[in-house]
Amino acid sequence: MIYQRSSQLFAEAEKVIPGGVNSPVRAFKGVGGTPIFVKSAKGAYLFDEDGNKLIDYINSWGPMILGHAFEPVVNAVIERAKLGTSFGMPTALETEIAALAVSMVPNIDKIRFVNSGTEACMSAIRLARGFTNRDKIIKFAGCYHGHSDSFLIQAGSGGMTFGTPNSPGVTQGTAKDTLLAKYNDLDSVKELFESNKNEIAAIIIEPVAGNMGCIPPKDGFLQALRNLCDENGTLLIFDEVMTGFRLAKGGAQELFGIKADIVAFGKVIGGGLPVGAFAARNEIMNYLAPVGPVYQAGTLSGNPLAMAAGLEMLKALNSEPAIFQRLEQKTAYLEKGISEKLTQNNVKFTINRVGSMISVHFDENAVTDLQTASKGDNDYFKKFFHGLLQEGVYIAPSAYETWFITDALTYEDLDFTINAVDKISKQF
């Protein structure tokens, strides 16, 4: 495939946008080459500025669960736009989607809409600190909760130490209140509780990690975190920006049967428009202004276009539970096919999958956390990525991102992808 137009557009973008992109992973720094500039998308396919058609496995990083340009969502946005695009005032639409979301997700009574997953997680942490009157939080190495200062932390000398910033601009004062644990390692969490007694406001976790590739929680891990939180007066926050309304109608809480205290949403809940939300039981949510003392605000929160898109998306998911079964079946079919081809071609790999989230790690050992994810053969991944791209298959341009499956994918698309994997793995 030829990407001449994309190359020209990228060169122009670099002159006026830092790195030529508005989010770093789009720059292809992890895989090399020139980013693809998209012109349009429909269903399971992207159409780029050079006229190439690509089968899409990132789906705007998750929200296109029913495919690009899903007609009910598009129509809803068009009709709402005719009435005005933003008011900074309440609308009945906000209450309608809030009531539907609360009815779909277990263990929440109220929800507040914001404009991104980053904002949702940032607000959830502030609420947890205000509710518990504690400062420290535990996060897990390799889990990404947006670019708020509290989350851009790495482990330093180990999981028991205070965090240190891994981005300039994040202060040591902020970093000291973020404690790093190891995903799927309960002992690392227990040690942090023991050394910070009565100081930890919350644990925040991706119940299925998606930012070091797809990594499922080990059996019993989430329940053990729930127990530790109960024992220590700490809140458990599920960052369901990826998993919410994707792994099940009620998200990871429903899938795993674990109650979280606060849940952060994004992606699917906006039907592809910029949106986020956080939710909890009444006791916690009533700590938010204007009812309670914890302040959170946003002019565009509850924006009518995003609410209209999200409402149609949630209605579709709520009315047809079979969607989640179809997604599970299609993703399992893809996993089986890729696994067979890579095995036949003597490639060392591990595939992780939960529902419609899946990733291929080029290492034969189990991938359970950031450390094991980092052992994958990144050079092979770069060849794999560009090989698939030349065949017309677009996956995340990073070895540390999950793939997202859409219900718009046909089994012909899946077979095409599997055969593309076979072709390129024979070459390498």
Side-chain angles (χ1 to χ4, degrees):
M1 292 188 176
I2 299 174
Y3 296 103
Q4 182 176 356
R5 178 64 177 150
S6 282
S7 296
Q8 293 172 345
L9 289 170
F10 185 53
E12 294 171 11
E14 286 183 299
K15 297 175 183 177
V16 291
I17 302 173
V21 293
N22 283 306
S23 189
V25 73
R26 301 176 192 174
F28 276 32
K29 294 295 185 182
V31 293
T34 300
I36 306 303
F37 277 62
V38 178
K39 188 173 185 178
S40 65
K42 179 65 177 176
Y45 312 115
L46 301 170
F47 301 91
D48 69 16
E49 289 282 356
D50 287 282
N52 299 307
K53 176 184 176 181
L54 303 169
I55 299 175
D56 184 14
Y57 284 99
I58 66 166
N59 288 285
S60 192
W61 306 98
M64 305 309 180
I65 194 168
L66 300 178
H68 291 281
F70 180 57
E71 191 170 343
V73 168
V74 172
N75 291 340
V77 172
I78 291 172
E79 293 305 311
R80 288 301 307 189
K82 293 176 181 178
L83 303 175
T85 58
S86 180
F87 312 119
M89 298 169 65
T91 64
L93 186 57
E94 295 166 73
T95 305
E96 187 176 359
I97 186 174
L100 179 56
V102 167
S103 74
M104 293 172 70
V105 179
N107 312 312
I108 67 171
D109 296 317
K110 291 180 180 175
I111 187 168
R112 177 165 284 182
F113 292 98
V114 290
N115 300 297
S116 67
T118 290
E119 198 176 331
C121 291
M122 176 185 72
S123 301
I125 287 295
R126 182 184 302 158
L127 178 58
R129 284 173 165 155
F131 183 78
T132 61
N133 197 29
R134 297 175 179 179
D135 293 336
K136 295 180 181 178
I137 64 168
I138 294 175
K139 74 173 290 286
F140 294 86
C143 283
Y144 179 72
H145 307 291
H147 57 86
S148 175
D149 287 2
S150 295
F151 303 131
L152 293 180
I153 307 297
Q154 62 186 9
S157 62
M160 288 182 64
T161 65
F162 287 127
T164 56
N166 69 340
S167 172
V170 179
T171 68
Q172 290 286 347
T174 298
K176 73 179 179 60
D177 287 328
T178 300
L179 310 174
L180 267 291
K182 186 176 178 181
Y183 196 81
N184 277 324
D185 185 340
L186 189 62
D187 287 340
S188 71
V189 183
K190 289 179 178 178
E191 289 168 359
L192 291 174
F193 272 107
E194 290 172 2
S195 57
N196 297 273
K197 289 186 182 299
N198 301 318
E199 294 184 87
I200 298 172
I203 294 175
I204 185 168
I205 187 171
E206 293 178 274
V208 176
N211 288 282
M212 39 187 162
C214 176
I215 299 183
K218 289 182 178 179
D219 289 346
F221 181 63
L222 296 178
Q223 183 59 58
L225 295 182
R226 175 70 274 170
N227 295 343
L228 278 173
C229 286
D230 290 341
E231 293 165 5
N232 290 276
T234 297
L235 300 186
L236 178 61
I237 302 173
F238 273 7
D239 174 354
E240 294 219 46
V241 168
M242 289 185 179
T243 59
F245 305 102
R246 169 169 280 278
L247 297 186
K249 187 170 71 170
Q253 288 192 99
E254 177 185 327
L255 183 67
F256 296 111
I258 305 295
K259 293 182 178 181
D261 294 302
I262 305 177
V263 188
F265 298 108
K267 312 291 187 183
V268 176
I269 204 172
L273 271 69
V275 75
F278 59 105
R281 63 184 184 269
N282 283 324
E283 180 187 11
I284 297 173
M285 292 301 283
N286 288 342
Y287 252 69
L288 280 174
V291 183
V294 176
Y295 193 74
Q296 182 278 326
T299 301
L300 290 175
S301 296
N303 174 269
L305 300 188
M307 295 296 93
L311 180 60
E312 290 305 315
M313 180 65 71
L314 293 191
K315 281 181 176 179
L317 297 177
N318 191 49
S319 64
E320 192 182 354
I323 289 171
F324 299 101
Q325 183 179 4
R326 290 200 301 270
L327 285 166
E328 168 84 23
Q329 291 170 344
K330 289 178 180 180
T331 315
Y333 183 89
L334 183 66
E335 177 188 16
K336 181 175 182 291
I338 292 177
S339 180
E340 288 175 350
K341 298 303 183 184
L342 292 179
T343 300
Q344 290 169 7
N345 295 321
N346 299 312
V347 177
K348 295 180 179 179
F349 73 97
T350 294
I351 296 180
N352 283 351
R353 179 179 69 85
V354 179
S356 57
M357 296 171 62
I358 183 173
S359 60
V360 182
H361 303 266
F362 291 105
D363 186 87
E364 60 188 339
N365 299 306
V367 177
T368 59
D369 53 28
L370 180 60
Q371 183 178 7
T372 50
S374 300
K375 294 179 179 179
D377 187 339
N378 283 346
D379 289 335
Y380 191 95
F381 177 82
K382 293 174 186 178
K383 296 176 182 177
F384 184 77
F385 170 83
H386 284 289
L388 285 179
L389 189 59
Q390 285 302 311
E391 293 298 316
V393 177
Y394 189 72
I395 63 172
S398 167
Y400 302 106
E401 298 283 358
T402 187
W403 307 8
F404 295 101
I405 306 304
T406 171
D407 193 42
L409 284 162
T410 66
Y411 280 91
E412 288 76 18
D413 296 327
L414 300 175
D415 284 334
F416 183 93
T417 303
I418 292 164
N419 290 329
V421 169
D422 184 36
K423 180 179 179 180
I424 64 175
S425 61
K426 284 178 178 176
Q427 296 174 358
F428 305 142

